[in-house]
Structures are given as structure tokens and as C-alpha cells.
Amino acid sequence: MYISFSNKPKQADADGTPRPRGRRTVSSTVVAFGVVSMLTDISSESITAILPLYITGFLGMSTIAFGFLDGLYQGISAVVRVAGGYTSDRIGRPKWVAFTGYAIAAIARVGLLFASGFGALTAVISADRIGKGIRTAPRDAVITASSRPENLGASFGVHRTLDNIGAAVGPLLAFFILLLIPDGYGTVFVASLGFAVIGVTVLGLFVPNVRTRSDAPADDGPDATPSPRPRFQWSVVLSGPMRRVLAAAGLLGLLTIGDGFIYLVLQARSDFAAQWFPLMYVGTNIAFLALAIPLGRLSDRVGRARVFVYGHAGLLAAYLVAALPIADIAATLLCLVLLGAFYAATDGVLAALAAQLTTPETHGTGIAAAQTVVALSRFLSAAGFGILWYVLGRETSILVVAGLLLIAIPVVAVLLRPYMAATGGDSGQSLETTTGEEETR
Amino acid sequence: MTAKAKWLVIIIVAVVALGATAGVAAFAWSQYQSRQNAPSSAEIAASADWTTSNRIVFRNTAPGQGYGHVAGVPIDDPGAARSLLDIACDRVAATPDSFSCLRTERGITPSYDARLYDSAGNQQLEWPLPGVPSRTRFSPDGSLVATTSFVTGHAYASIGFSTETEIHHVSDGTSLGSLEEWKLIIDGTPSAPVDRNYWGVTFIDDSSFYATVGMTTVGQTYLVKGDIQSRTMTSVLETVECPSLSPDGTRIAFKRVTSGSGPTVHWTPAIYDIASGEVTVLDIEKRNIDDQIAWLDDDTLLYGVPNDTPGDSDVWALSADGADPAQIFIEHAWSPTAVRG
């Protein structure tokens, strides 16, 4: 390994008690940040879930034109994401960059209480997306900085599990409120604001202000001098192992057509799927959250690149189940579980992989770059698949993509071969010590 | 800040935030209950029997009891007391013999379905919809029914909307399939934009119809004429949404984007004369009209416009030549159909 893992506080070594390898612990910072993400996801998903009902049923509008804004948001979010990662690397304080992202989203919700119309809603969602773009990479940088290299995968797994609990609870909470109060949209907005505020508060109070630049001053003292030379290097992100990871993520991303199309195939064939269509992404989410920790741990043991690459077999299997002519409940559920497994094997694991292959000074940008490549390539993939769908028909086009994926997985495995088994935890004995007081089960 | 102080702060913040939410919820709940149990703000007829006369069938949006229920008034006396059925719908369309009802089934997770009833309110058929109800229309002979719903949950946390439009046989509920699987010919060339969506069917007869196809990314919409036999749709005119064919079959009323886009879009009613190809924008109507227009007769358009009460709306009438300003036709109403039979 030629990547250093010098991001641990010095006192960790002073503490000096080596822990048995493979002990299943993650830092309390990771759990705290997981709780922040959970609360924030409850907040944003509760609004997202009721949006269609609110706009059409309550405001009495048909908003076909709303769809075309979505592509724009995707673009903004991608640019902002790299900027967020880069900023957090340059100033070396990912927590406060992330805090800005969370705070923007929370403040936007205040506006919703006073002007609840379509325009206000659009503004809130824009702010939410921008905030999400800003906060994602610094958040993952904090998680990296407060985790031991050898359990980075498990740390991201814990975080993604909590995150997805929020994404599953948010819609249920919103619909529960609407079940009690059928026109209680205002109540949902208040609840959303409440959870956002609690989330930001937990972030401010319970997530330590970790430094990602080793030459940054260790405290917030007023006489802390700015560091003379930030050691941020683009070459860490854009060449060497990271270049291969970005290429791999991009190639696989181009063959990730998006859940939407898979759900549509299922829906067109099965009455069960048609009836439960609005809930399919919740099912995928639940599988994701259930599998994020086990697969994160697996990636710590057998290599993150390996789990990331072979995790796409879950996607491949989901394509096959969707395309094969089995129209029953079991096939639909299996497909959702496979999709969830795919996300669990790739989402947090990719962040862990990017963190593993970058220096502490470039974690934020490296993670952001990987996530941006994935987002953009999936966006292109969805657009391209739509054309294929029309030309070849539903099942055939899915089978074509499945065939390409079947070829791409081994190709990417070869491309990433030098890093397949690397877990970041076996590069030196100092890595077996822990950060001491921040451990929790 | 000590650990104890941090916990104190977070507990206070959580109690305040959740307490405020609970308070708002309790207030909203009591408000809702008192509204629901209040007598309807519209005059309700003693009898729910509406089958005796030519009528307007609509969704009652008068706050109070019977909110959201299917209602009817005599066509020649739309201000009269309304007959209510004990059936709640989001969208309704009717023929002399039956009506279709698109509804949201509330629950811890909402679901959506389409139901067909005979005119007395006995349910005949039911099938699930993939999302929030948008439009429904019958063919003139009552043998086909079209439904459009917004498809949501397409992508994780996505707010992009798309639609699904299907035509079903009224006799047995069999579907002709999603229009997105049909052939589309734009300006003479087969076309298949990825982001195409269909909505707002209006039938010519039991073998052909008009509808909107929209490319949501660029915002372009077309009026298409659909042929059921060949499962093909052919573009007729650009920038047309939610067409509605006049009873005499000579004109199509629709909504046209006259300014803005996305969230600021402004639609104005317009008339397309099929024989001459001439389009007249009825800009005497200054408000944003977001509805599939219905024809009261060959000279009068009907459409819903939300009023000041959230969730409530009125049906307005506008002369099809745009000569006179729109007037309220039925208060507290939505989704009208003129039924003559």
C-alpha cells in the first residue's frame, strides 16, 4: 500500500491498547452522523412522499412540467457536490461544510410554513438538493476521519443503515399524519422542519470538529494560525488508483439503468407490482438498510473494490428476475431485495473505497468525485436505456443491458485487480490500534 | 460545552420541535374534525336520485359533510341543491349509465385505484392505478374509459413526475395497455423520445381519440390523434395539452401554455377548429387554467378553478367563442361532466 492512513489523532497511539482485529465497533462520531442523516432524511422524505398528493390533490394542479426541472437539479447537485468536497478538503473542516449543507435545507423549510404553494415548494426542494450536494462529501470525509481504516466499510454501512431508516420512516410518518388529518399538509411541513432542526442540532453538538489536514491546528483557539501549505493535490484524485476507480464506477454506472425502469417492467407484468408500485422504492430501501452493515463488514474483510465490483452481480440478477417471464409476488420481492443488496454493496462501499485510495487531505474531493461520476453515468444510462427500451422492447432491452453488465463486471475486476483485496487495514501494525475513547458498539 | 449541557440542549430542542409538531397536529386535527362534521356549505338535495334528468355530474368540494363525494345537479338548473352519492372520488367522469371514479385510498401508505359504477352507485369494476389520479373520460358510446395518473416513486427520492394513461373496456375492464407502448408518429416520422408521456384522452368514437403527448425534458407537447385498431398515434398540432372534443366533433378545447414554464407555467384555454386548423386563444380568461376542459354544449366550456379555500374549487363556464368573461357555473365543484341521455 502506498496510501497513508495518518488521519488518526496522535493520542490514539499513546492510548496504546491494541484491539483484537475484526472487533466490530464503529466510532460514536459515525453513529452520531448516522442519526443526523436519519433525522434529515425523515425530514426531506416526508415532504417528497406527499408532494404528488399535495400538488395535485390539494393545490389542484397538474405538474407535468415539474419533471424537467429534475435533470437540472441533478446537474446542480453534481457540481455542488464536488465543490463541497473540495471546500472541505481545502479548509480541512468537513464538519462545518456539512453543517452548512444541513442548515440550508433546514432554513428552507421555515419558508415553507409561511408560503406553502407550488413556488415555495420548488424553492425548498432546490435548497434541499443544493444542501444535499454540499453536505454529502464532507459528511463522508468526517466518517472516514473518525473511523479506523480497517473498519471503514462497516462505518459506512452503519451510516447508510441509519440514513435509510430515515428514508423509510419519513414517508410513513407523513402518510400517518395524512391518515389522521387528511388535509394536514401543514402539519407534515412542521414535522419536517422539526426533524431537520433536531438533526442540525445533533450535528452541531455531537459530531466532533475533526480535522482532515494533518497540518491543521488541533483546536479552535483564536490564535490558531492558518496552515502555510495545504497539501491538497488533484493528482491524488485524478490519477493513480483513483483514476481507475472513477473509470470503473463510470463504466458500471453506465449499465445501471435506474430502479424506475425495473419497477416499470415489474409493474407492466404483475398486478401485484402495479398495486404496490408507489411503494417499491420503500421495499428497495428496506433491503438496502438491512444489508448495508453486513456488506460493509464483508468489504472490510475481503476488500472494498471486490465487494463494489461483485455487488453489481446483485444488479445483474435484478435485471434477469425483472426480464424473465415470472409474474408473481415472489419475483417482485426478490427483485427489490436484489436491488437493495446492490445498493448496500456499492453505495457506502464506494465511499469507503474512495477514502481508502485518497490521502486524508483529499478524502472529501475523492469521495465527491466518485459519487459524481456514479450520478452522472447513471443519468446518462437512464437516458440511453429509454431509447433502447423503445427500439428493442421492454424485456429485450433489459436483457441486453444485463449481457453488457455480465461482460463489464469481469473487465472492471481486471481493471481494479491491484486493489481488489486491499482493505486498508493490513498495511501496518499501527493501524491495529484504535482511536480509543470514541468507540462504541 | 460539557456532555451534560449538550444532552440538555438536544433534549430541549427535541422537546420543543416535537412538541410544536404535536401541537400543530392536534390543532389541525380538531379543525379538520369540526369541518368534516359541519353541515355541508352547499345545499344538499334530500334525494340522492339523480338519474331522472339530464345532469352535470361532478365532485363535490364544499367543505363539510360529503366533501369529495360524487354529486349531480340538473343541467338546466346548476345552482340547485345537489344530490350526493356516498362515494368519494378525486376525479369523476360520467355517461348516462355509469360513472368512473379515480380515487386515493388513504392509509399508512396510500394506494390509488379506478372504479366503475352504474349510475345508481353500484360498483361494477375496479383496477389499481400506479399513482395520483389526474384525468378520466368516457368514449361517446360509453364503451371505453380512459384514465391518466401521475406515476410517482419512479426513482428513489425523485420528484420528477411522469404519467401513465390507459384505455379500458367498460364491459370487462380489460386494458388496451399503456399508451407509451403504442406507436408514435410525429410530423410523419416514427418517434420515440425517452421522456414521452401521455395524458388527457378525449374520445372521437369507440375506435379513435385525441390525447396529449409531452416530452417532459424540453417541455414540448403535441396533440396526437390515436387509432385504437393499429395502436398508433399521429401528431396533429404543437403546444396542446388536455384536449377535449366538442359534442359536435368540430372543435377541440385545450389548455395552452401562454407564459412561464415549470413552476411558473400559465395555461390559457384555447379552441382548435379541426376543419380550418385555426387556433383561438381565449385570453379573456386571465387566470391560470389547469384542468381538462369539458363541454357543457357546443357553445360553452366548463372547467374547475381552485378558490380561496385550499382543497375547494368552483366550476366556471366560458363561452367557446371567448365573447364573454367566464362565470361561476357550480360553486364548490370539480371534475364536471355534462350527461344527456
Side-chain angles (χ1 to χ4, degrees):
Chain A
M1 292 297 296
Y2 43 85
I3 299 298
S4 73
F5 291 96
S6 56
N7 55 321
K8 285 182 296 139
K10 274 283 172 248
Q11 61 267 29
D13 289 337
D15 182 36
T17 350
R19 299 227 177 188
R21 283 193 78 174
R23 170 142 182 209
R24 290 170 175 181
T25 56
V26 298
S27 152
S28 63
T29 303
V30 172
V31 175
F33 227 137
V35 170
V36 172
S37 294
M38 182 175 77
L39 292 165
T40 307
D41 263 28
I42 291 175
S43 171
S44 56
E45 292 302 311
S46 60
I47 290 189
T48 310
I50 61 159
L51 206 59
L53 274 176
Y54 177 72
I55 292 172
T56 56
F58 195 68
L59 299 179
M61 285 190 278
S62 68
T63 48
I64 294 300
F66 210 58
F68 89 106
L69 289 175
D70 209 42
L72 187 69
Y73 289 141
Q74 299 259 14
I76 294 174
S77 184
V79 173
V80 167
R81 190 181 294 229
V82 174
Y86 180 71
T87 308
S88 98
D89 283 339
R90 288 314 289 245
I91 65 176
R93 298 178 184 195
K95 172 187 169 178
W96 293 110
V97 177
F99 187 86
T100 309
Y102 285 98
I104 287 173
I107 291 166
R109 284 173 175 65
V110 179
L112 203 54
L113 300 186
F114 298 102
S116 55
F118 192 47
L121 216 55
T122 314
V124 169
I125 288 157
S126 312
D128 199 54
R129 299 262 163 141
I130 291 169
K132 197 180 177 89
I134 292 175
R135 72 199 179 213
T136 307
R139 178 197 70 198
D140 287 349
V142 170
I143 292 171
T144 306
S146 41
S147 301
R148 285 171 294 145
E150 70 269 23
N151 75 348
L152 207 47
S155 291
F156 277 109
V158 167
H159 175 268
R160 296 301 194 265
T161 295
L162 289 166
D163 193 28
N164 279 286
I165 289 174
V169 167
L172 296 182
L173 176 76
F175 290 133
F176 180 67
I177 290 173
L178 291 190
L179 184 63
L180 295 178
I181 316 163
D183 57 356
Y185 297 97
T187 308
V188 176
F189 296 149
V190 172
S192 170
L193 173 63
F195 280 101
V197 167
I198 300 172
V200 170
T201 312
V202 172
L203 173 58
L205 293 178
F206 288 91
V207 173
N209 187 19
V210 294
R211 297 313 173 95
T212 54
R213 268 196 350 235
S214 49
D215 55 354
D219 58 48
D220 275 320
D223 54 352
T225 49
S227 55
R229 287 290 299 166
R231 287 199 265 142
F232 180 89
Q233 287 174 307
W234 276 107
S235 63
V236 176
V237 178
L238 297 176
S239 64
M242 267 307 281
R243 183 158 63 189
R244 291 195 188 200
V245 167
L246 295 181
L251 180 61
L252 293 171
L254 283 176
L255 298 172
T256 307
I257 57 173
D259 316 1
F261 287 112
I262 298 177
Y263 300 160
L264 281 177
V265 174
L266 292 172
Q267 179 222 344
R269 228 188 24 232
S270 145
D271 278 348
F272 170 79
Q275 191 171 351
W276 294 100
F277 189 76
L279 284 181
M280 285 200 175
Y281 85 99
V282 175
T284 305
N285 252 344
I286 289 170
F288 182 178
L289 75 87
L291 294 169
I293 294 176
L295 288 171
R297 277 186 188 144
L298 182 69
S299 79
D300 288 336
R301 226 173 24 246
V302 305
R304 279 147 209 149
R306 189 172 277 159
V307 169
F308 174 75
V309 173
Y310 294 125
H312 283 78
L315 180 65
L316 177 59
Y319 288 165
L320 293 178
V321 172
L324 294 177
I326 340 163
D328 68 0
I329 297 174
T332 303
L333 292 179
L334 178 63
C335 201
L336 299 186
V337 169
L338 287 167
L339 271 179
F342 158 67
Y343 284 114
T346 53
D347 187 62
V349 173
L350 178 63
L353 179 63
Q356 173 192 333
L357 297 176
T358 47
T359 58
E361 293 77 24
T362 52
H363 280 158
T365 316
I367 293 168
Q371 291 169 341
T372 302
V373 164
V374 168
L376 292 180
S377 60
R378 285 184 187 171
F379 189 64
L380 286 177
S381 171
F385 183 74
I387 297 170
L388 204 61
W389 172 293
Y390 179 77
V391 176
L392 298 178
R394 242 181 354 234
E395 277 80 12
T396 317
S397 48
I398 277 214
L399 287 174
V400 165
V401 177
L404 291 173
L405 190 57
L406 186 63
I407 300 167
I409 291 172
V411 167
V412 168
V414 170
L415 180 71
L416 293 182
R417 196 174 49 189
Y419 324 105
M420 286 299 265
T423 60
D426 50 9
S427 58
Q429 55 176 3
S430 70
L431 295 169
E432 300 205 9
T433 60
T434 71
T435 51
E437 82 271 275
E438 277 192 4
E439 298 288 315
T440 184
R441 263 210 172 263
Chain B
M1 200 181 272
T2 65
K4 204 172 168 186
K6 285 181 180 179
W7 280 105
L8 194 64
V9 170
I10 194 67
I11 287 167
I12 290 170
V13 168
V15 166
V16 169
L18 299 180
T21 304
V24 169
F27 179 71
W29 186 80
S30 68
Q31 292 282 91
Y32 175 75
Q33 290 301 323
S34 59
R35 267 199 310 279
Q36 276 306 98
N37 297 325
S40 178
S41 56
E43 199 186 339
I44 308 295
S47 156
D49 184 18
W50 60 3
T51 54
T52 48
S53 63
N54 290 341
R55 57 195 179 271
I56 306 288
V57 174
F58 59 95
R59 175 181 192 248
N60 170 45
T61 60
Q65 289 172 7
Y67 175 84
H69 288 206
V70 177
V73 291
I75 224 165
D76 45 16
D77 186 13
R82 53 193 66 182
S83 309
L84 285 192
L85 290 181
D86 192 19
I87 296 165
C89 305
D90 297 341
R91 276 273 169 186
V92 61
T95 68
D97 307 318
S98 60
F99 62 92
S100 88
C101 168
L102 311 190
R103 22 172 274 140
T104 302
E105 181 76 66
R106 289 186 189 281
I108 194 68
T109 53
S111 59
Y112 313 94
D113 55 43
R115 296 183 177 187
L116 287 180
Y117 294 86
D118 65 20
S119 58
N122 302 308
Q123 187 180 324
Q124 309 292 312
L125 286 169
E126 176 184 345
W127 60 86
L129 294 174
V132 181
S134 172
R135 314 283 184 216
T136 179
R137 282 288 189 273
F138 279 100
S139 62
D141 66 356
S143 66
L144 297 171
V145 63
T147 59
T148 301
S149 45
F150 294 106
V151 180
T152 52
H154 252 195
Y156 170 65
S158 165
I159 51 163
F161 281 1
S162 66
T163 59
E164 172 145 308
T165 297
E166 284 197 45
I167 297 172
H168 283 81
H169 287 287
V170 169
S171 54
D172 58 1
T174 51
S175 170
L176 299 173
S178 169
L179 293 191
E180 275 171 51
E181 290 160 22
W182 292 26
K183 263 199 282 283
L184 172 63
I185 295 171
I186 288 184
D187 300 333
T189 328
S191 173
V194 179
D195 55 346
R196 67 191 185 284
N197 277 296
Y198 294 91
W199 64 93
V201 166
T202 183
F203 287 95
I204 301 166
D205 48 38
D206 61 356
S207 65
S208 56
F209 61 90
Y210 291 101
T212 313
V213 62
M215 320 317 169
T216 45
T217 311
V218 291
Q220 177 68 59
T221 57
Y222 293 90
L223 175 70
V224 291
K225 187 172 181 178
D227 180 67
I228 289 173
Q229 184 65 36
S230 63
R231 293 167 66 90
T232 303
M233 287 167 291
T234 314
S235 69
V236 178
L237 187 67
E238 286 184 35
T239 328
V240 171
E241 283 180 69
C242 290
S244 178
L245 189 65
S246 63
D248 62 14
T250 60
R251 287 151 299 156
I252 292 171
F254 61 99
K255 58 177 194 178
R256 171 161 277 184
V257 176
T258 45
S259 68
S261 66
T264 62
V265 70
H266 188 99
W267 284 290
T268 307
I271 301 285
Y272 169 61
D273 186 302
I274 297 172
S276 72
E278 194 182 327
V279 170
T280 314
V281 175
L282 305 180
D283 51 11
I284 193 165
E285 175 58 89
K286 302 295 180 206
R287 294 169 300 179
N288 177 35
I289 301 305
D290 183 2
D291 193 10
Q292 183 171 17
I293 291 166
W295 292 79
L296 173 64
D297 49 43
D298 283 324
D299 304 314
T300 315
L301 311 179
L302 298 179
Y303 47 82
V305 181
N307 59 30
D308 290 338
T309 312
D312 190 8
S313 53
D314 305 310
V315 167
W316 291 67
L318 178 67
S319 56
D321 55 8
D324 306 305
Q327 291 182 321
I328 288 194
F329 186 65
I330 308 175
E331 287 189 318
H332 308 301
W334 179 244
S335 201
T337 313
V339 178
R340 289 187 171 83

Coordinates of all heavy atoms in Angstrom, one line a residue, chain A residues 265-294:
Chain A
V265 N -41.0 -2.4 -15.5 CA -41.1 -3.7 -16.1 C -41.9 -4.6 -15.2 O -42.8 -5.3 -15.7 CB -39.7 -4.3 -16.3 CG1 -39.8 -5.7 -16.8 CG2 -38.9 -3.5 -17.3
L266 N -41.7 -4.5 -13.9 CA -42.4 -5.4 -13.0 C -43.9 -5.0 -13.0 O -44.8 -5.8 -13.0 CB -41.9 -5.2 -11.6 CG -40.5 -5.7 -11.3 CD1 -40.0 -5.3 -9.9 CD2 -40.5 -7.3 -11.4
Q267 N -44.1 -3.7 -13.0 CA -45.5 -3.2 -13.0 C -46.3 -3.6 -14.2 O -47.5 -3.9 -14.1 CB -45.5 -1.6 -12.9 CG -46.8 -1.0 -12.8 CD -46.9 0.2 -13.7 OE1 -45.9 0.8 -14.1 NE2 -48.1 0.6 -14.0
A268 N -45.6 -3.6 -15.3 CA -46.3 -3.9 -16.6 C -46.7 -5.4 -16.6 O -47.6 -5.8 -17.4 CB -45.5 -3.6 -17.8
R269 N -46.1 -6.2 -15.8 CA -46.3 -7.7 -15.9 C -47.2 -8.2 -14.8 O -47.8 -9.3 -14.9 CB -45.0 -8.4 -16.0 CG -44.9 -9.4 -17.1 CD -43.7 -10.2 -17.1 NE -43.1 -10.3 -15.8 CZ -41.8 -10.0 -15.6 NH1 -41.1 -9.6 -16.5 NH2 -41.3 -10.1 -14.3
S270 N -47.1 -7.6 -13.7 CA -47.7 -8.2 -12.5 C -48.7 -7.3 -11.8 O -48.4 -6.1 -11.6 CB -46.6 -8.6 -11.5 OG -47.1 -8.5 -10.2
D271 N -49.9 -7.7 -11.6 CA -50.9 -6.9 -10.9 C -50.5 -6.5 -9.5 O -50.7 -5.4 -9.0 CB -52.2 -7.7 -10.8 CG -53.0 -7.6 -12.1 OD1 -52.6 -6.8 -12.9 OD2 -54.0 -8.4 -12.2
F272 N -49.8 -7.5 -8.9 CA -49.2 -7.2 -7.5 C -48.3 -6.0 -7.6 O -48.4 -5.1 -6.8 CB -48.5 -8.4 -7.0 CG -47.7 -8.1 -5.7 CD1 -48.4 -8.1 -4.5 CD2 -46.4 -7.9 -5.8 CE1 -47.7 -7.8 -3.3 CE2 -45.7 -7.7 -4.6 CZ -46.3 -7.6 -3.4
A273 N -47.4 -6.0 -8.5 CA -46.4 -4.9 -8.7 C -47.1 -3.6 -9.0 O -46.8 -2.5 -8.5 CB -45.4 -5.2 -9.7
A274 N -48.2 -3.7 -9.8 CA -48.9 -2.5 -10.2 C -49.5 -1.8 -9.0 O -49.5 -0.6 -8.8 CB -49.9 -2.8 -11.3
Q275 N -50.1 -2.7 -8.2 CA -50.8 -2.2 -7.0 C -49.9 -1.5 -6.0 O -50.2 -0.5 -5.4 CB -51.6 -3.3 -6.4 CG -52.5 -2.9 -5.3 CD -53.4 -4.1 -4.9 OE1 -53.3 -5.2 -5.5 NE2 -54.1 -3.9 -3.8
W276 N -48.7 -2.1 -5.9 CA -47.7 -1.6 -4.9 C -46.7 -0.7 -5.5 O -45.7 -0.4 -4.8 CB -47.1 -2.8 -4.1 CG -48.1 -3.6 -3.3 CD1 -48.8 -4.7 -3.7 CD2 -48.7 -3.2 -2.1 NE1 -49.7 -5.1 -2.7 CE2 -49.7 -4.1 -1.7 CE3 -48.5 -2.1 -1.2 CZ2 -50.4 -4.0 -0.6 CZ3 -49.2 -2.0 -0.1 CH2 -50.2 -3.0 0.3
F277 N -46.9 -0.3 -6.7 CA -45.9 0.5 -7.4 C -45.4 1.7 -6.6 O -44.2 1.8 -6.5 CB -46.5 1.0 -8.7 CG -45.5 1.6 -9.6 CD1 -44.6 0.8 -10.3 CD2 -45.4 3.0 -9.7 CE1 -43.6 1.4 -11.1 CE2 -44.5 3.6 -10.5 CZ -43.6 2.8 -11.2
P278 N -46.3 2.5 -5.9 CA -45.8 3.6 -5.2 C -44.8 3.2 -4.1 O -44.1 4.1 -3.6 CB -47.0 4.3 -4.7 CG -48.1 3.8 -5.6 CD -47.7 2.4 -5.9
L279 N -44.8 2.0 -3.7 CA -44.1 1.6 -2.5 C -42.8 0.8 -2.8 O -42.1 0.4 -2.0 CB -44.9 0.7 -1.6 CG -45.9 1.5 -0.8 CD1 -46.7 0.5 0.1 CD2 -45.2 2.5 0.0
M280 N -42.5 0.6 -4.1 CA -41.4 -0.2 -4.5 C -40.1 0.3 -4.0 O -39.2 -0.4 -3.5 CB -41.4 -0.4 -6.0 CG -42.4 -1.3 -6.5 SD -42.0 -1.9 -8.1 CE -43.3 -3.1 -8.3
Y281 N -39.9 1.6 -4.0 CA -38.7 2.2 -3.6 C -38.5 2.0 -2.1 O -37.4 1.9 -1.6 CB -38.4 3.6 -4.1 CG -39.0 4.7 -3.3 CD1 -38.2 5.4 -2.4 CD2 -40.4 5.0 -3.4 CE1 -38.8 6.4 -1.6 CE2 -40.9 6.0 -2.7 CZ -40.1 6.7 -1.8 OH -40.6 7.7 -1.0
V282 N -39.6 2.0 -1.4 CA -39.5 1.7 0.1 C -39.0 0.3 0.3 O -38.2 0.1 1.2 CB -40.9 1.9 0.8 CG1 -40.8 1.6 2.2 CG2 -41.4 3.4 0.6
G283 N -39.5 -0.6 -0.5 CA -39.0 -2.0 -0.4 C -37.6 -2.1 -0.6 O -36.8 -2.8 0.1
T284 N -37.1 -1.4 -1.7 CA -35.7 -1.4 -2.0 C -34.9 -0.8 -0.9 O -33.8 -1.4 -0.5 CB -35.4 -0.6 -3.3 OG1 -36.3 -1.2 -4.3 CG2 -34.0 -0.7 -3.7
N285 N -35.4 0.2 -0.3 CA -34.8 0.9 0.8 C -34.6 0.0 2.0 O -33.5 0.0 2.7 CB -35.7 2.1 1.3 CG -35.1 3.4 0.9 OD1 -33.9 3.4 0.6 ND2 -35.9 4.4 0.9
I286 N -35.6 -0.8 2.3 CA -35.6 -1.6 3.5 C -34.5 -2.7 3.3 O -33.7 -3.0 4.2 CB -37.0 -2.2 3.8 CG1 -37.9 -1.1 4.3 CG2 -36.9 -3.4 4.8 CD1 -39.3 -1.5 4.4
A287 N -34.4 -3.3 2.0 CA -33.4 -4.3 1.8 C -32.0 -3.6 1.9 O -31.1 -4.2 2.4 CB -33.6 -4.8 0.4
F288 N -31.9 -2.4 1.4 CA -30.7 -1.6 1.5 C -30.2 -1.5 2.9 O -29.1 -1.8 3.3 CB -30.9 -0.3 0.8 CG -29.7 0.6 0.7 CD1 -29.8 1.9 0.1 CD2 -28.4 0.3 1.2 CE1 -28.7 2.8 0.0 CE2 -27.4 1.2 1.2 CZ -27.5 2.4 0.5
L289 N -31.1 -1.0 3.8 CA -30.7 -0.7 5.1 C -30.4 -2.0 5.9 O -29.5 -2.1 6.8 CB -31.8 0.1 5.9 CG -33.1 -0.5 6.4 CD1 -32.9 -1.1 7.7 CD2 -34.1 0.6 6.4
A290 N -31.1 -3.1 5.5 CA -30.8 -4.4 6.2 C -29.5 -4.9 5.9 O -28.8 -5.6 6.7 CB -31.9 -5.4 5.9
L291 N -29.0 -4.7 4.7 CA -27.8 -5.3 4.2 C -26.6 -4.4 4.2 O -25.5 -4.9 4.0 CB -28.0 -5.8 2.7 CG -29.1 -6.9 2.6 CD1 -29.4 -7.2 1.2 CD2 -28.6 -8.2 3.3
A292 N -26.8 -3.1 4.5 CA -25.6 -2.2 4.4 C -24.5 -2.6 5.4 O -23.3 -2.5 5.0 CB -26.1 -0.8 4.7
I293 N -24.9 -2.9 6.6 CA -23.8 -3.2 7.6 C -23.1 -4.6 7.3 O -21.9 -4.6 7.2 CB -24.4 -3.2 9.1 CG1 -24.8 -1.8 9.4 CG2 -23.4 -3.7 10.1 CD1 -25.5 -1.7 10.8
P294 N -23.9 -5.7 7.1 CA -23.2 -6.9 6.7 C -22.3 -6.8 5.5 O -21.1 -7.3 5.5 CB -24.3 -7.9 6.4 CG -25.5 -7.3 7.0 CD -25.3 -5.9 7.2

